[in-house]
Amino acid sequence: MSSKAAVPFSRDALEQVLKRRVSGLYDYGPPGCGFQANIVDTWRKHFILEEDMLEVDTTMLTPYEVLKTSGHVDKFTDWMCKDLKTGEIFRADHLVEEVLEARLKGDKAARGQQVEEKDDKKRKKKVKEIKNVKLEDAVVAEYESHDITNPATGGKLEPPVEFNLMFDTAIGPSGQLKGYLRPETAQGQFLNFAKLLEFNNEKMPFASAAIGKSFRNEISLFLMAEIEHFVDPEDKSHPRFAEVKDLKLKFLPKDVQEAGSNTLVEKTIGEAVSTGMVDNETLGYFIARIYQFLIKIGVDSNRCRFRQHLSNEMAHYASDCWDAELETSYGWVECVGCADRSAYDLSVHSARTNEKLVVRKPLDQPRTVNNFEVDIDKKKFGPKFRKDAGAVTKFLTDRTQCELEDLAKELADTGKISADVPNVGQVEVPAELVKIERVERTEHVREFTPNVIEPSFGLGRIIYSIFEHSFWARPEDKDRSVLSLPPLVAPTKVLVVPLSSHADLTPLVGKITSALRKAQVPFKVDDSSASIGKRYARNDELGTPFGITIDFDTVKDGSVTLRERDSTKQVRGSLDDIVKAVKAITYDGVSWTEGTSSLTPFETVTEEK
Amino acid sequence: MSSKAAVPFSRDALEQVLKRRVSGLYDYGPPGCGFQANIVDTWRKHFILEEDMLEVDTTMLTPYEVLKTSGHVDKFTDWMCKDLKTGEIFRADHLVEEVLEARLKGDKAARGQQVEEKDDKKRKKKVKEIKNVKLEDAVVAEYESHDITNPATGGKLEPPVEFNLMFDTAIGPSGQLKGYLRPETAQGQFLNFAKLLEFNNEKMPFASAAIGKSFRNEISLFLMAEIEHFVDPEDKSHPRFAEVKDLKLKFLPKDVQEAGSNTLVEKTIGEAVSTGMVDNETLGYFIARIYQFLIKIGVDSNRCRFRQHLSNEMAHYASDCWDAELETSYGWVECVGCADRSAYDLSVHSARTNEKLVVRKPLDQPRTVNNFEVDIDKKKFGPKFRKDAGAVTKFLTDRTQCELEDLAKELADTGKISADVPNVGQVEVPAELVKIERVERTEHVREFTPNVIEPSFGLGRIIYSIFEHSFWARPEDKDRSVLSLPPLVAPTKVLVVPLSSHADLTPLVGKITSALRKAQVPFKVDDSSASIGKRYARNDELGTPFGITIDFDTVKDGSVTLRERDSTKQVRGSLDDIVKAVKAITYDGVSWTEGTSSLTPFETVTEEK
């Protein structure tokens, strides 16, 4: 299949096919939709069933409080500029790119071709800079220095400000409850943590998973699949790591990037973890499983890399993060994130709701601890602090061991505690109302907040990348494009093609379609008057891997021809044997050669056009 | 399995199980989610693959204009009452029910038990009346006469008004475009009609289908699956009707309802169509296929009926409509609608967008038509009507044949046309600017707007009904509940149970789970210290159809025991044979008796508790 590379990739040609055949204006048409359904099905089998995860289907309407707690209300933003006169709003990074590009074109025309290349590099560098650093303050200043105006009217624009990317909506018939359409599925999983742990018989580690639409402004179709793997922070080993440790992957670690290089490091995931490049076994296990999934559904292994986040792009709480990036004509596109988010998510929700989101694990050996404890005299506390009694109590019981040590000292030294209590103000607690002392206890149970390892898939981007990786043109005719989707995920598996509309062939179509239907193999019939070659070509570009041809020999002996899309090889056999071969190649991962070894090779002259 | 009816159904007991084991607060937990995924998968195979439908995945954010055109903005409402003082809002029908119920309870307590039954009937009749007629004007008056107040505060409420049930949101970064979260998937399919017709090589009839979340206030989880079958209004036969015509169904036709009866009519779908009770073959075909689907996924055939819409509850444009209703403890619940919507949907969108949504079908024989045609003198029209020229032209070209006949007469009699043109006002068109005459033409093509037959599934309601239909308690212990989900859709197919935690058994668990994983059979392991009986009981209530037990004989000869959930029957055999039996029963529709005929029956003493 080296022929696949003979005609250079054309994004225009792919977009033609996608627009014409796969998608509607905002929507997936039938082939895109079938492909997406198969990707989701494969994801579910590869992760949820194979790894015994707990799937949840959480609400799309998320109350304000939840997303305030998670940080989305404050930080889930893009920089936008407003034209005060027309009211139009522009995404700042897109606008810079567009305006600089237009100016360069003008300059080029004036100065001739010689400077083009240098300018192009300069512009690309500038645009990249602006996009990559997310228009932070320094860039905003730079932005202004370029005097960017409304490209249509030339009107003055306001300086860029952050706009939140979430869709807001009101929940309940009178809109009492402010909320958002979820920007991700993760929060729904964190909120259900206690219930999921109970469902899992309190056993750790375990993972939950959710597949569903999420909503971000400017992205109309955004299907995500997210896993939240909850793990003991003191033990991030993985029982099945040995099964993947010899898998070789291409990495772009942070030290290489920081040295200004893009050179990929190829090593096994086992080495990556043992050398500490990847933080821990569980993170490494998921990196390997993500890779296996991507290859299974049609990603080109040569155009898949794992890029580590730099320290400054990673959230402060995360301990390590790798993105699976796929190479497309747009560059390397981030398609799957795989982060160790430490205890952050469960901690913030727990702090907000006062619900303990912890795991209690019996200790092999009981252990003795000697901690400061707070003992409040509630009878006296109420009359003294009245309505503030709760807030003062919470303030005292929320202190860390270090803070308690200081308070104990203050109490011993001054006979009282002076504190600035939130929502109350300066307060004095006299020694007769509170004791803070070291107490020795024997613990049989260790209590901890699980860490979260989160593989998060943007299925739409993966689907687009696979289209690019699978799309090629036949060298003998570059207008005949082919989408080499793996049979497992191709929307239609078989095209049934009667040689002609002759009355003798029509009943055979029914016989073959009912055999395929019984075998649950998705098929289409093309009994149009177009030539066989043309009918196959139409389905090659939709990614249909097999064709079954009915001809006059079929009338005589019941045999049919099976054609393979990429090689256009053909074999002949009985209908039963052909269907069996299609099923084995499609669903059991058998190769074409192996699956058709008992069938008769069938030679034709070159396919008609 | 007559034992299933021995313990009366308890909704409380079912709700306990659902809350504890299946769902979270607003969300589906793992078993509910797995069940839902299997229902969707079965739906996709039963309808989309089997019937060769075109699946689409359309946007959830629908612009205002689309839903204004479809009628949702004006008519998709519920009656609500507002408490002006507190700002609370109540659904009017729920409130009446609640308040009347509370009052009756008070009355009962005062007057003793004798009147209870009569009152109950009266109340139920009243509530039913109010709910069924959707609080139309007459009922609103009645509502006021009952002096309904805020049940919590006793405060006065505003009279009921209609609230729209859709969630509104703004589309685009600055919220320029007003829109709604889709209340159904249908509109997205209508908007893509032209593209779908092209994709189907202009062939009729064809169907599109969409599965996805829809949003209606007060319903947080609302998964729909909708089919739009586009058909020639002059030919509503169906090529596969013969395959289903002998299927016997329970009908509640409109004449029976109008006579005040609830008696079901049992007949084949063939008779229902041939007698004209069901309007046409295609509608009848879908009714039959809906029934087959419901039975396949676990609906009790004795608690499924098809109720015809009364003339006054059906939209004015619909020619016939049947609801599949399932009987639950809440009464008969509408779960699937199946309506012949005539040409309404495509006509309104076409009128709004001026895009022709029609099919052109070559005629077998050319035909001569003699129609009135409008011939406008555009050169004179512009100067005469200036900015109104377009509106006046549209007015004239939009007239029906009857209207044109009248206008032609007016033109001949008076030398002009006087007309009230929308958005323009009274206009006079003199005869020298327009001709209206009969023209004879030969047509080779018939152009028509397809009719739409729409089966629309509320999957959440179906799922709940199946839980009720499948839920029973073992007569020997009514606390041991069982959810008899069909193996095909049960979230987990097999529970793997090692007899004890003995070290000899542990490696066998791994052997069995990898065999099941390889066979792609979803399973769970329960190696807790609970008794075998208790472990099975826990999974009986989750609907897991099979159990595989590992004991000390497994160590010796590799054989395992397979247990069936409903009968608690057991058989014994090699691991391979047991897995083969599980696959055949689950996925190929083979019965337990047939699937285990070559295995050895295995007798145990009564299961331990």
Side-chain angles (χ1 to χ4, degrees):
Chain A
M1 307 202 187
S2 62
S3 60
K4 282 188 194 175
V7 179
F9 171 76
S10 153
R11 193 200 290 167
D12 270 0
L14 172 61
E15 280 177 358
Q16 284 291 329
V17 172
L18 292 181
K19 263 192 207 148
R20 201 158 31 87
R21 312 294 307 275
V22 180
S23 64
L25 192 56
Y26 298 102
D27 311 329
Y28 274 138
C33 197
F35 184 55
Q36 178 182 275
N38 292 342
I39 297 282
V40 167
D41 187 52
T42 305
W43 196 90
R44 188 172 267 126
K45 287 186 178 135
H46 186 87
F47 289 104
I48 298 179
L49 291 185
E50 171 90 22
E51 309 277 357
D52 198 12
M53 295 172 173
L54 304 178
E55 186 177 2
V56 295
D57 185 12
T58 65
T59 175
M60 291 187 176
L61 302 168
T62 316
Y64 172 88
E65 276 302 330
V66 171
L67 292 164
K68 178 74 185 170
T69 303
S70 68
H72 283 86
V73 170
D74 299 318
K75 289 182 188 154
F76 196 65
T77 54
D78 252 343
W79 290 86
M80 304 275 184
C81 311
K82 190 168 184 175
D83 182 327
L84 274 185
K85 216 165 173 184
T86 66
E88 281 172 286
I89 289 186
F90 301 90
R91 226 177 101 176
D93 53 351
H94 291 178
L95 189 60
V96 172
E97 193 168 352
E98 190 183 324
V99 170
L100 292 187
E101 188 128 16
R103 284 187 197 164
L104 271 165
K105 270 189 192 153
D107 289 358
K108 259 186 236 168
R111 288 180 290 156
Q113 291 295 317
Q114 287 81 351
V115 289
E116 184 174 341
E117 208 168 290
K118 200 179 143 207
D119 270 0
D120 234 36
K121 269 198 187 149
K122 206 170 141 192
R123 179 187 62 80
K124 276 187 187 149
K125 187 168 164 264
K126 172 68 66 193
V127 168
K128 202 175 161 194
E129 207 178 290
I130 291 170
K131 286 176 88 165
N132 280 356
V133 295
K134 273 200 146 184
L135 282 174
E136 284 169 16
D137 294 347
V139 184
V140 173
E142 179 124 31
Y143 181 91
E144 285 171 328
S145 79
H146 274 91
D147 187 27
I148 305 284
T149 53
N150 185 330
T153 66
K156 197 175 151 41
L157 298 179
E158 290 283 278
V161 288
E162 283 179 290
F163 267 70
N164 198 290
L165 292 176
M166 296 191 291
F167 284 95
D168 53 356
T169 192
I171 303 175
S174 62
Q176 308 94 324
L177 188 57
K178 186 172 160 62
Y180 295 97
L181 296 176
R182 65 174 179 206
E184 56 173 38
T185 67
Q187 300 307 319
Q189 299 182 60
F190 299 138
L191 293 177
N192 280 304
F193 171 75
K195 209 164 173 69
L196 290 165
L197 179 65
E198 187 197 337
F199 186 82
N200 208 44
N201 297 327
E202 313 286 334
K203 273 199 196 170
M204 286 285 292
F206 74 94
S208 62
I211 306 170
K213 296 275 166 67
S214 294
F215 297 83
R216 299 179 184 188
N217 247 316
E218 299 197 276
I219 307 177
S220 56
L221 243 176
F222 192 66
L223 184 61
M224 292 185 85
E226 289 185 301
I227 295 164
E228 312 297 335
H229 182 88
F230 300 99
V231 63
D232 184 340
E234 292 179 12
D235 178 10
K236 293 186 179 175
S237 66
H238 194 287
R240 296 180 65 186
F241 187 70
E243 294 175 33
V244 300
K245 74 176 191 344
D246 295 328
L247 195 67
K248 249 197 173 134
L249 301 175
K250 296 187 184 66
F251 295 97
L252 185 57
K254 61 184 168 194
D255 53 354
V256 172
Q257 298 171 65
E258 280 159 1
S261 165
N262 273 329
T263 311
L264 299 182
V265 176
E266 210 169 333
K267 57 171 80 173
T268 66
I269 189 69
E271 291 169 301
V273 170
S274 65
T275 57
M277 186 175 89
V278 167
D279 188 74
N280 59 71
E281 263 193 14
T282 299
L283 193 63
Y285 179 74
F286 278 112
I287 287 174
R289 293 285 294 156
I290 289 166
Y291 178 81
Q292 290 174 330
F293 170 72
L294 293 173
I295 300 308
K296 192 186 275 183
I297 61 173
V299 161
D300 178 349
S301 63
N302 288 315
R303 298 165 75 184
C304 174
R305 73 179 186 193
F306 286 87
R307 189 182 72 80
Q308 190 171 28
H309 277 208
L310 302 175
S311 315
N312 65 1
E313 63 180 315
M314 200 160 61
H316 64 91
Y317 47 78
S319 53
D320 196 7
C321 182
W322 292 82
D323 287 340
E325 296 187 331
L326 303 180
E327 195 185 15
T328 71
S329 60
Y330 293 94
W332 287 94
V333 176
E334 169 199 340
C335 289
V336 189
C338 191
D340 183 334
R341 299 175 55 84
S342 76
Y344 177 77
D345 307 285
L346 293 181
S347 303
V348 293
H349 284 295
S350 175
R352 179 82 204 167
T353 59
N354 283 325
E355 184 197 0
K356 265 195 173 182
L357 298 177
V358 293
V359 171
R360 293 166 54 80
K361 194 173 173 181
L363 289 167
D364 292 339
Q365 299 287 333
R367 64 178 177 194
T368 306
V369 291
N370 192 333
N371 281 338
F372 282 99
E373 292 189 1
V374 181
D375 184 14
I376 287 170
D377 187 336
K378 282 186 189 152
K379 274 191 195 148
K380 295 181 186 160
F381 230 64
K384 162 94 177 155
F385 293 109
R386 295 171 181 269
K387 67 173 177 40
D388 297 331
V392 179
T393 303
K394 185 170 186 315
F395 175 82
L396 290 172
T397 51
D398 276 1
R399 295 307 93 192
T400 63
Q401 283 295 311
C402 289
E403 290 167 336
L404 286 180
E405 185 165 5
D406 290 345
L407 293 180
K409 191 164 181 298
E410 183 183 350
L411 212 53
D413 291 352
T414 66
K416 62 181 167 57
I417 293 172
S418 302
D420 186 16
V421 176
N423 301 324
V424 175
Q426 203 61 35
V427 161
E428 289 206 349
V429 188
E432 61 266 31
L433 268 61
V434 65
K435 274 197 204 115
I436 300 181
E437 282 168 356
R438 276 195 186 277
V439 181
E440 187 168 291
R441 290 189 194 278
T442 305
E443 286 186 349
H444 298 270
V445 168
R446 183 168 71 91
E447 202 178 81
F448 61 89
T449 302
N451 282 11
V452 166
I453 292 179
E454 178 186 80
S456 169
F457 296 69
L459 295 180
R461 288 182 178 188
I462 295 174
I463 286 172
Y464 177 78
S465 304
I466 292 173
F467 285 146
E468 276 211 10
H469 291 194
S470 314
F471 188 73
W472 55 288
R474 299 214 186 270
E476 64 273 21
D477 178 356
K478 73 179 180 41
D479 288 336
R480 289 184 65 169
S481 33
V482 184
L483 204 58
S484 288
L485 302 177
L488 180 66
V489 288
T492 303
K493 315 299 182 195
V494 177
L495 180 73
V496 177
V497 190
L499 188 68
S500 77
S501 59
H502 195 285
D504 284 358
L505 300 184
T506 315
L508 293 169
V509 175
K511 206 178 152 199
I512 287 172
T513 56
S514 56
L516 289 168
R517 203 176 274 141
K518 201 171 158 231
Q520 301 203 358
V521 173
F523 66 89
K524 296 272 172 208
V525 176
D526 188 347
D527 54 6
S528 71
S529 58
S531 74
I532 292 264
K534 193 148 194 184
R535 282 183 271 170
Y536 275 138
R538 278 206 298 235
N539 274 268
D540 287 347
E541 71 179 16
L542 283 177
T544 306
F546 305 109
I548 293 182
T549 316
I550 304 164
D551 54 28
F552 294 98
D553 284 340
T554 315
V555 184
K556 281 185 236 154
D557 61 11
S559 70
V560 292
T561 303
L562 179 69
R563 172 191 183 263
E564 198 276 330
R565 173 196 59 204
D566 297 354
S567 61
T568 73
K569 277 189 185 152
Q570 301 196 35
V571 293
R572 190 140 188 133
S574 74
L575 178 57
D576 277 0
D577 288 344
I578 295 281
V579 171
K580 210 175 284 173
V582 167
K583 278 198 89 162
I585 299 170
T586 304
Y587 298 110
D588 303 334
V590 168
S591 71
W592 167 262
T593 313
E594 194 186 336
T596 61
S597 57
S598 63
L599 298 164
T600 317
F602 186 74
E603 300 293 333
T604 43
V605 283
T606 319
E607 288 189 4
E608 331 159 46
K609 276 186 69 175
Chain B
M1 309 205 186
S2 62
S3 61
K4 284 187 193 176
V7 179
F9 171 77
S10 154
R11 193 201 290 168
D12 271 359
L14 171 60
E15 280 177 358
Q16 285 290 328
V17 172
L18 292 183
K19 261 191 210 151
R20 199 158 31 86
R21 311 294 308 275
V22 181
S23 64
L25 191 56
Y26 298 102
D27 311 328
Y28 274 136
C33 197
F35 184 55
Q36 178 182 276
N38 293 342
I39 297 280
V40 167
D41 187 53
T42 306
W43 195 91
R44 188 170 266 127
K45 287 187 178 132
H46 187 87
F47 289 106
I48 297 179
L49 290 186
E50 170 91 23
E51 309 275 358
D52 197 13
M53 294 173 175
L54 304 178
E55 186 176 1
V56 294
D57 184 12
T58 66
T59 174
M60 291 186 175
L61 303 168
T62 316
Y64 172 88
E65 277 302 328
V66 171
L67 293 164
K68 178 73 186 174
T69 303
S70 68
H72 284 86
V73 170
D74 300 317
K75 288 181 188 156
F76 196 65
T77 53
D78 252 342
W79 290 86
M80 303 276 184
C81 311
K82 189 168 183 176
D83 183 326
L84 274 186
K85 216 165 169 182
T86 65
E88 280 171 285
I89 290 187
F90 301 91
R91 225 176 102 176
D93 53 351
H94 291 177
L95 189 61
V96 172
E97 193 169 349
E98 190 184 322
V99 171
L100 291 187
E101 189 128 16
R103 285 187 197 162
L104 270 165
K105 270 192 189 150
D107 289 359
K108 259 187 233 168
R111 288 180 290 156
Q113 290 296 313
Q114 287 82 352
V115 288
E116 183 175 342
E117 207 167 293
K118 202 178 142 205
D119 271 359
D120 234 37
K121 268 196 188 152
K122 208 170 141 189
R123 179 187 64 79
K124 277 186 185 150
K125 188 167 164 264
K126 172 69 66 195
V127 168
K128 202 174 162 194
E129 209 177 287
I130 291 171
K131 287 174 87 164
N132 280 355
V133 295
K134 274 200 142 184
L135 281 174
E136 285 169 15
D137 294 348
V139 184
V140 172
E142 178 123 31
Y143 182 91
E144 284 171 327
S145 79
H146 274 92
D147 187 27
I148 304 286
T149 53
N150 184 331
T153 66
K156 197 175 152 38
L157 297 180
E158 290 284 279
V161 287
E162 283 178 289
F163 267 71
N164 198 289
L165 292 176
M166 295 189 293
F167 283 96
D168 53 358
T169 190
I171 303 174
S174 62
Q176 307 95 324
L177 188 57
K178 186 173 160 59
Y180 296 96
L181 297 177
R182 66 176 177 204
E184 56 174 37
T185 67
Q187 300 307 319
Q189 298 181 60
F190 300 138
L191 292 178
N192 281 304
F193 171 74
K195 206 160 175 74
L196 291 166
L197 179 64
E198 187 196 337
F199 185 82
N200 208 45
N201 297 329
E202 312 287 333
K203 273 200 198 170
M204 287 282 293
F206 74 95
S208 61
I211 307 169
K213 295 274 167 64
S214 294
F215 298 83
R216 299 180 183 187
N217 247 316
E218 298 197 278
I219 306 177
S220 57
L221 243 178
F222 191 65
L223 184 61
M224 291 184 85
E226 289 185 301
I227 294 164
E228 311 298 334
H229 182 88
F230 300 98
V231 63
D232 183 341
E234 291 179 11
D235 178 12
K236 294 185 178 174
S237 66
H238 194 287
R240 296 180 65 187
F241 187 70
E243 294 175 32
V244 300
K245 72 177 192 345
D246 296 327
L247 195 67
K248 249 197 174 133
L249 302 174
K250 297 187 183 67
F251 296 97
L252 185 57
K254 62 182 168 194
D255 53 353
V256 172
Q257 297 171 65
E258 279 159 1
S261 165
N262 274 329
T263 311
L264 299 181
V265 176
E266 210 169 334
K267 57 171 77 174
T268 66
I269 190 69
E271 290 170 301
V273 170
S274 64
T275 57
M277 187 175 90
V278 167
D279 188 74
N280 59 71
E281 262 191 13
T282 298
L283 193 63
Y285 180 73
F286 278 112
I287 287 175
R289 292 285 296 158
I290 289 166
Y291 177 81
Q292 290 173 332
F293 169 72
L294 293 173
I295 300 309
K296 193 187 273 182
I297 61 173
V299 161
D300 178 349
S301 63
N302 289 315
R303 297 165 77 184
C304 172
R305 73 180 185 192
F306 286 86
R307 189 182 72 79
Q308 190 171 29
H309 278 207
L310 303 175
S311 315
N312 65 1
E313 63 180 315
M314 200 158 62
H316 65 91
Y317 47 79
S319 53
D320 196 7
C321 182
W322 292 82
D323 287 340
E325 295 188 332
L326 303 181
E327 196 185 15
T328 72
S329 60
Y330 294 93
W332 286 93
V333 176
E334 170 199 339
C335 287
V336 188
C338 191
D340 183 333
R341 299 174 57 85
S342 76
Y344 177 77
D345 306 286
L346 294 182
S347 303
V348 292
H349 285 294
S350 175
R352 178 82 205 168
T353 58
N354 283 326
E355 183 197 2
K356 265 193 173 182
L357 298 177
V358 294
V359 171
R360 293 166 54 82
K361 196 175 174 180
L363 289 167
D364 293 337
Q365 300 285 332
R367 66 178 176 193
T368 306
V369 290
N370 191 332
N371 281 337
F372 282 99
E373 291 189 1
V374 180
D375 182 15
I376 287 171
D377 187 336
K378 282 187 188 153
K379 274 193 193 148
K380 294 182 186 160
F381 230 64
K384 162 96 177 153
F385 293 109
R386 295 172 178 268
K387 67 171 178 39
D388 297 332
V392 179
T393 303
K394 187 171 186 314
F395 174 82
L396 291 172
T397 51
D398 276 0
R399 295 305 93 192
T400 63
Q401 283 295 309
C402 291
E403 289 166 337
L404 287 180
E405 186 165 7
D406 291 346
L407 293 181
K409 193 166 177 302
E410 184 184 349
L411 210 52
D413 292 351
T414 67
K416 61 180 169 54
I417 293 171
S418 302
D420 186 16
V421 175
N423 300 325
V424 175
Q426 201 63 35
V427 161
E428 288 204 351
V429 188
E432 62 267 29
L433 267 62
V434 64
K435 272 194 206 122
I436 299 182
E437 282 167 357
R438 276 194 188 277
V439 180
E440 188 169 290
R441 291 190 193 277
T442 306
E443 287 186 350
H444 299 269
V445 167
R446 184 167 72 89
E447 200 178 84
F448 62 87
T449 302
N451 282 12
V452 167
I453 292 180
E454 177 186 82
S456 169
F457 296 69
L459 294 181
R461 289 181 178 189
I462 295 174
I463 286 173
Y464 177 78
S465 304
I466 293 173
F467 285 145
E468 277 211 10
H469 291 193
S470 314
F471 188 72
W472 55 289
R474 301 218 184 267
E476 63 273 21
D477 178 356
K478 73 178 179 43
D479 288 335
R480 289 184 67 171
S481 31
V482 185
L483 204 58
S484 288
L485 302 177
L488 180 66
V489 288
T492 304
K493 314 300 183 194
V494 176
L495 179 73
V496 177
V497 191
L499 189 69
S500 77
S501 58
H502 195 285
D504 284 359
L505 300 185
T506 315
L508 295 170
V509 174
K511 206 176 153 203
I512 287 173
T513 55
S514 56
L516 288 169
R517 203 175 274 142
K518 200 169 160 233
Q520 301 203 357
V521 173
F523 65 90
K524 297 270 172 208
V525 176
D526 188 346
D527 53 7
S528 71
S529 57
S531 73
I532 292 263
K534 193 147 191 183
R535 282 184 272 171
Y536 275 138
R538 279 206 298 236
N539 274 266
D540 287 348
E541 71 179 15
L542 283 178
T544 305
F546 304 109
I548 293 182
T549 317
I550 304 164
D551 54 26
F552 292 99
D553 284 341
T554 315
V555 184
K556 280 186 239 156
D557 61 10
S559 70
V560 294
T561 304
L562 178 69
R563 170 194 184 261
E564 199 275 331
R565 172 196 61 206
D566 297 355
S567 62
T568 73
K569 277 189 184 152
Q570 301 196 36
V571 292
R572 190 138 187 135
S574 74
L575 178 57
D576 276 1
D577 289 345
I578 295 280
V579 171
K580 210 175 284 174
V582 166
K583 278 198 90 162
I585 299 169
T586 303
Y587 297 110
D588 304 335
V590 168
S591 71
W592 166 263
T593 314
E594 197 187 331
T596 60
S597 56
S598 63
L599 299 164
T600 316
F602 187 75
E603 301 292 333
T604 43
V605 282
T606 318
E607 290 189 1
E608 330 159 45
K609 275 186 69 175

